[in-house]
Amino acid sequence: MTFDPEGLSRTQCEGDACVACHKKWPRPRIRIGRLPDDRTLFACEECADALLPESQANVHPFPRRAAFL
């Protein structure tokens, strides 16, 4: 997704705050989109669940394997 930087704060544009709720701590870690100049935007886990489409919500699921000894 590409976001318009006009409605974002400087900390959001720098990736130090959630793109949706402005939360800075813990630092958002989920890549949610980009700005037109290719800077990456991040979201916290709660906002990422709401922003990402269902098909992208769990792009890299953990494998479901059991180890029997």
Side-chain angles (χ1 to χ4, degrees):
M1 279 190 277
T2 303
F3 286 79
D4 182 9
E6 189 168 320
L8 301 175
S9 69
R10 190 172 110 205
T11 55
Q12 287 173 312
C13 289
E14 293 172 353
D16 292 329
C18 175
V19 74
C21 71
H22 301 270
K23 184 170 36 170
K24 294 179 186 176
W25 186 256
R27 188 170 188 271
R29 298 181 185 274
I30 299 173
R31 289 184 174 100
I32 199 74
R34 295 193 167 276
L35 292 173
D37 63 0
D38 272 349
R39 288 185 287 173
T40 304
L41 296 174
F42 295 90
C44 62
E45 289 186 36
E46 295 84 14
C47 293
D49 288 340
L51 290 171
L52 286 175
E54 185 69 30
S55 63
Q56 292 181 352
N58 196 1
V59 177
H60 302 287
F62 291 111
R64 295 183 182 232
R65 292 186 264 167
F68 297 101
L69 300 176

